[in-house]
Amino acid sequence: MIFDDDHEAFRASVREFLDRHVRPNVDTFIAEHGWPREIWTEAGKQGFLGLEVPEEYGGSGAGDYRFNAVLGEELAKVSMAMTSCFGIHYDIVAPYLVDLTTEEQKQRWLPGFCSGEIITGIGMTEPSGGSDLASLRTTAVRDGDDWILDGSKTFITNGASADLVVVAARTSPEKKAKGITLFGVEAGMPGFTRGKPLDKVGQTESDTAELFFEGVRVPAANVIGEVDRGFIAMMERLPQERLGAAVSNIAHAAQILAETLEYVKERRAFGQAVGSFQHNKFLAAELVTRIEVSQAYVDQCVMAHKDGRLTAVDAAKAKWWAAEVQNDVLDACVQLYGGYGYMNEYRVARAWRDARVTKIWAGTNEIMKELIGRDLGL
Ligand SMILES: Cc1cc2nc3c(=O)[nH]c(=O)nc-3n(C[C@H](O)[C@H](O)[C@H](O)COP(=O)(O)OP(=O)(O)OC[C@H]3O[C@@H](n4cnc5c(N)ncnc54)[C@H](O)[C@@H]3O)c2cc1C
């Protein structure tokens, strides 16, 4: 109900792209643990990567978060890993590169960002911890006009393939949250290496890797935003990341539930469709209700964000709730498929595995409740 004709026309173009370039090849992407560069450049050609980027730098400057939401929904219906890898780029990194960069950086990075020739990632989490972001240990020490970066990051989406990573590093050790700065670390910088893609429980087709920085010389021209204000920059942008996660969680669960409902109409036991047993009928009714009620809240947050009114607390509510609902719904879907629901060959099984991480990433569900609890004055 929150979308108009322009959004639906955009949705149709996303679907056409997915039908032509992605859906037929998902199994190959899973086997190859990633997306070929051509998918990125094709998405770039279609204008999907630069939704938030002004036209003068190659984007479409849509200026309406509903387009991001439409893209997130459609990608999630096909592959949760695709929402993750592409979402990190067009939805999560984009605001950093658009809002915080200098004119020179915009001209250097944004055209390639929009065309898909520069794939991006963001490195906040470290092996020593992700929830307590203010305690990160990667350091950047000033040396003349440069900064020398030392440390490591882990679980970084697009980590192995990224050409540009926004990296959070400690620049003032004594200042904790007020001593963190963001750097644009580019592929090929001496001392910047990556581990091989991490072996995950789900989302095999997304490339998640460790990043290592050993004396990486990063020019001052690659500082993103103000020195020592990186933590604030991340806090200001995390609500959009969490809303994007909520949007894709509900779209993914809704899609798999729709497919499951078709399955239980066909599959028979004791001479009747398994969906017609009262237990399963009531279960389906509950699942559909949970999805629709959750969708209403997420839509409300999308509209609030479009108008610049989304609070960090409401984004946290949307994120944890949508992740929880998605996991509950998909677990029930696996059950409704019976043994086939446990077979990797079936999409429902992969969806169930792919969804588990959504309670962990973008800030764990516990951290979301911590934010909400604090807002309650507790
Ligand atoms: C597939 C995948 C992709 C990811 N992509 C990225 C990425 O692109 N960039 C990036 O920077 N990070 C990324 N992450 C990292 C993710 O954001 C972190 O895993 C997450 O923030 C949790 O940090 P942690 O794993 O260090 O857990 P920890 O911080 O060690 O937490 C462990 C447990 O303790 C709980 N806990 C911690 N503090 C509290 C508290 N105060 N109260 C109650 N419970 C608490 C947590 O909720 C969790 O259950 C990704 C992770 C995964 C798995």
Side-chain angles (χ1 to χ4, degrees):
M1 296 213 292
I2 62 170
F3 301 116
D4 64 26
D5 291 349
D6 286 346
H7 304 108
E8 294 309 335
F10 177 67
R11 188 188 299 281
S13 71
V14 177
R15 283 186 180 165
E16 197 187 322
F17 160 78
L18 291 168
D19 286 345
R20 189 175 303 172
H21 299 283
V22 180
R23 217 181 289 272
N25 302 315
V26 167
D27 288 342
T28 312
F29 303 147
I30 291 172
E32 293 176 356
H33 301 278
W35 313 97
R37 287 254 159 188
E38 306 82 73
I39 295 289
W40 283 94
T41 48
E42 191 55 42
K45 256 189 237 159
Q46 303 288 330
F48 300 153
L49 303 179
L51 293 173
E52 295 197 18
V53 178
E55 285 177 56
E56 60 202 287
Y57 305 109
S60 53
D64 176 348
Y65 190 74
R66 286 176 291 178
F67 288 102
N68 292 38
V70 166
L71 185 53
E73 285 184 355
E74 293 306 315
L75 298 184
K77 289 180 197 169
V78 176
S79 155
M80 205 56 193
M82 191 168 195
T83 324
S84 151
C85 295
F86 286 72
I88 281 280
H89 185 83
Y90 74 82
D91 198 35
I92 295 173
V93 173
Y96 290 86
L97 297 188
V98 171
D99 304 344
L100 301 173
T101 43
T102 62
E103 183 57 34
E104 184 276 324
Q105 288 172 333
K106 285 183 175 53
Q107 291 189 13
R108 184 151 48 108
W109 290 328
L110 289 176
F113 178 93
C114 296
S115 69
E117 283 153 315
I118 295 179
I119 298 173
T120 63
I122 185 158
M124 303 183 195
T125 306
E126 304 192 345
S128 58
S131 301
D132 185 7
L133 196 54
S135 298
L136 60 81
R137 296 180 184 174
T138 295
T139 56
V141 177
R142 188 96 208 206
D143 182 35
D145 278 347
D146 303 329
W147 292 84
I148 308 297
L149 206 61
D150 281 286
S152 63
K153 299 285 171 183
T154 195
F155 309 142
I156 305 307
T157 304
N158 296 337
S161 50
D163 303 290
L164 171 67
V165 186
V166 177
V167 175
R170 178 161 305 290
T171 34
S172 293
E174 70 289 359
K175 291 205 269 182
K176 219 177 171 200
K178 289 183 181 157
I180 293 171
T181 303
L182 302 176
F183 294 88
V185 177
E186 293 168 283
M189 284 182 164
F192 172 34
T193 55
R194 311 124 193 271
K196 50 180 197 311
L198 294 166
D199 181 15
K200 303 188 296 299
V201 168
Q203 301 200 13
T204 321
E205 66 273 41
S206 87
D207 135 33
T208 315
E210 280 181 284
L211 311 179
F212 305 102
F213 314 102
E214 282 179 61
V216 182
R217 186 168 282 280
V218 183
N222 279 29
V223 170
I224 296 177
E226 286 177 48
V227 171
D228 283 347
R229 284 188 57 88
F231 187 81
I232 296 162
M234 291 186 282
M235 291 304 117
E236 286 170 350
R237 282 155 193 82
L238 278 168
Q240 174 159 321
E241 173 169 352
R242 290 170 182 156
L243 176 58
V247 166
S248 54
N249 289 342
I250 296 300
H252 183 232
Q255 173 66 27
I256 302 297
L257 178 57
E259 292 172 19
T260 305
L261 293 177
E262 290 307 308
Y263 180 83
V264 297
K265 284 177 192 161
E266 297 297 323
R267 179 76 176 170
R268 297 180 77 78
F270 300 97
Q272 64 186 88
V274 297
S276 67
F277 295 114
Q278 191 185 50
H279 172 84
N280 294 341
K281 202 190 305 178
F282 281 19
L283 175 62
E286 287 172 20
L287 300 178
V288 166
T289 307
R290 291 187 74 183
I291 290 284
E292 290 182 8
V293 171
S294 305
Q295 183 76 66
Y297 185 72
V298 172
D299 285 354
Q300 182 183 311
C301 289
V302 168
M303 292 307 276
H305 192 45
K306 168 185 97 66
D307 298 333
R309 290 183 287 106
L310 181 69
T311 65
V313 172
D314 286 350
K317 290 175 191 162
K319 190 271 170 185
W320 88 259
W321 179 260
E324 201 80 27
V325 166
Q326 173 183 222
N327 274 271
D328 292 350
V329 167
L330 294 180
D331 195 67
C333 289
V334 166
Q335 193 70 17
L336 286 166
Y337 266 83
Y340 293 111
Y342 202 62
M343 297 298 122
N344 278 327
E345 189 190 337
Y346 279 73
R347 212 162 103 84
V348 67
R350 293 206 304 270
W352 176 65
R353 289 192 284 112
D354 290 350
R356 184 60 184 84
V357 71
T358 64
K359 293 202 272 188
I360 298 170
W361 68 17
T364 64
N365 278 13
E366 293 73 35
I367 295 296
M368 298 304 99
K369 291 175 194 175
E370 179 63 33
L371 294 174
I372 299 161
R374 260 187 247 157
D375 184 61
L376 296 173
L378 300 171

